[in-house]
Structures are given as structure tokens and as C-alpha cells.
Amino acid sequence: MNLFAENEIIISKNLIGIDEAGRGALAGPMLLSACKLHKDITGLCDSKKLNEKKREELYTQIIKNSSYLILSFSSDQIDTLGLSTCLKKGLSIIKQHFNKDNDFLYDGNTNYGISGIRTLIKADSKIPQVSAASILAKVNKDRIMNFLAKEFPQYHFEKNKAYGTKMHKELITKFGPCKLHRKSFKLV
């Protein structure tokens, strides 16, 4: 594990920010994204702190002004391989995708054994490249869940985005899980 100190400031034109969305969801895919910004974008922060309209606006700017990669791991992959293995595989793919002369920073506290990827807790709130990756992952995850809500309307994925809200848990109890629900995740 290679952690940045909390107060360390990172300034690098070659920084690839990495974050995921859907890690703790009860259904649907987990998306892992990586982003290298080519110009400064005002307003970047943790995607969870932005409303949907602002995320969409920033998403458009990020797409136009960055190099990025977005990976998706299905519920079946998460159930079969495990969440940690999916994350490790994703980080490895990201590292191989981008030029070796880049620096890599992943939001969190572990790099899952992938050398050359540094970590920082709450990097999505502190580092623009990681904020951008957070937004890319969140917007795509939400779009996927909005689409899947049409096929599985009884779960209201368009509202809960497949996270373990009280309503979502009640709907699973009422209707049972669908093929999108992660069998490896147990309701508490």
C-alpha cells in the first residue's frame, strides 16, 4: 500500500485519477473509471456531493477535455470473482491502458497489490483528476440503472440506483431478487 499523506498536495500533469461507482450497490454493475485531465475544469468535486444536473454538465466538460477509460463489472462478475478481484483486475487494466510515464491515484486506502498505483482516502474530494473519474463513473452507473429501471420497474432503480435504501430492500423482500441483484451481497 502506498498512501499519500493527508496534507500532501499533488501537482502533476501526468496524474491519472481513479474512482468507482456502484461498489456497494445491491444490483447492477460496478464501474471503475480513470481520467487524465488536459485542462482545468471548474467545479470538480466528489460526484456524491453534486446534484444530477451539475454532474451531467461536468461530465460533458470532462469527456471533451480528458483522456479516460471506463470499465464495467457485472453483478455476475462480482459474484463469481469477488469485489476485490474485480477492483484489482480493473486497476491492472487501467495501468496497462495508460502510458507508463503517468502517475496513478486511486480513491481509497488500498491499491489491491497493483504496484505504481497510489491511494488517498477522500481523493475524490481533494484531487481534480480523481473527482473527474468519480463523475465519469457515477454518471455512467446512474445512466445504466435508469435504463435497467425500464426492464425491472418494480425495483425503482431510477430512484435508488440499486443501493441498499430502505425502499429498495423492501422491494427485494416483496418481489425477490432479479437477475441483476448480486447474490454475494446479503441483506442485513
Side-chain angles (χ1 to χ4, degrees), residues 81-95:
L81 302 172
L83 197 57
S84 293
T85 300
C86 289
L87 288 165
K88 181 176 183 174
K89 183 177 182 178
L91 291 173
S92 180
I93 291 168
I94 287 167
K95 193 165 176 216

Side-chain angles (χ1 to χ4, degrees), residues 35-45 50 52-68 70 128-129 131-133 135-136 139-140 143:
C35 184
K36 179 178 183 178
L37 294 173
H38 299 306
K39 77 174 227 181
D40 291 338
I41 298 174
T42 303
L44 293 176
C45 68
L50 299 167
E52 184 177 0
K53 182 181 179 191
K54 187 64 177 174
R55 277 194 305 267
E56 289 286 345
E57 290 171 4
L58 289 168
Y59 180 88
T60 301
Q61 291 182 55
I62 295 164
I63 294 296
K64 290 179 182 176
N65 297 294
S66 70
S67 300
Y68 61 91
I70 303 169
Q129 293 87 340
S131 298
I135 292 165
L136 290 175
V139 168
N140 281 287
R143 288 177 179 179

Side-chain angles (χ1 to χ4, degrees), residues 3 20 54 74 85 111 117 140 146 167:
L3 300 174
E20 83 280 323
K54 187 64 177 174
S74 69
T85 300
N111 65 5
I117 294 185
N140 281 287
N146 289 340
M167 177 186 72

Side-chain angles (χ1 to χ4, degrees), residues 22-171:
R23 178 183 191 153
L26 302 179
M30 173 184 64
L31 277 74
L32 186 64
S33 77
C35 184
K36 179 178 183 178
L37 294 173
H38 299 306
K39 77 174 227 181
D40 291 338
I41 298 174
T42 303
L44 293 176
C45 68
D46 177 2
S47 64
K48 296 179 291 299
K49 294 180 180 176
L50 299 167
N51 65 39
E52 184 177 0
K53 182 181 179 191
K54 187 64 177 174
R55 277 194 305 267
E56 289 286 345
E57 290 171 4
L58 289 168
Y59 180 88
T60 301
Q61 291 182 55
I62 295 164
I63 294 296
K64 290 179 182 176
N65 297 294
S66 70
S67 300
Y68 61 91
L69 179 65
I70 303 169
L71 304 170
S72 178
F73 294 92
S74 69
S75 296
D76 287 340
Q77 288 174 304
I78 293 167
D79 286 339
T80 303
L81 302 172
L83 197 57
S84 293
T85 300
C86 289
L87 288 165
K88 181 176 183 174
K89 183 177 182 178
L91 291 173
S92 180
I93 291 168
I94 287 167
K95 193 165 176 216
Q96 291 171 14
H97 176 80
F98 288 95
N99 182 315
K100 67 179 179 173
D101 295 329
N102 290 296
D103 298 312
F104 297 87
L105 179 63
Y106 179 45
D107 180 49
N109 64 359
T110 183
N111 65 5
Y112 298 93
I114 305 299
S115 66
I117 294 185
R118 296 184 286 179
T119 62
L120 177 66
I121 296 169
K122 299 199 181 296
D124 56 356
S125 296
K126 302 172 184 175
I127 310 298
Q129 293 87 340
V130 183
S131 298
S134 172
I135 292 165
L136 290 175
K138 173 82 172 133
V139 168
N140 281 287
K141 166 72 172 158
D142 288 356
R143 288 177 179 179
I144 290 168
M145 296 318 298
N146 289 340
F147 176 79
L148 293 172
K150 295 171 187 166
E151 186 176 349
F152 301 94
Q154 68 272 33
Y155 299 103
H156 298 284
F157 290 141
E158 75 284 359
K159 293 179 183 173
N160 58 50
K161 306 302 185 226
Y163 287 98
T165 64
K166 181 180 178 190
M167 177 186 72
H168 187 191
K169 290 177 182 179
E170 288 171 355
L171 294 170

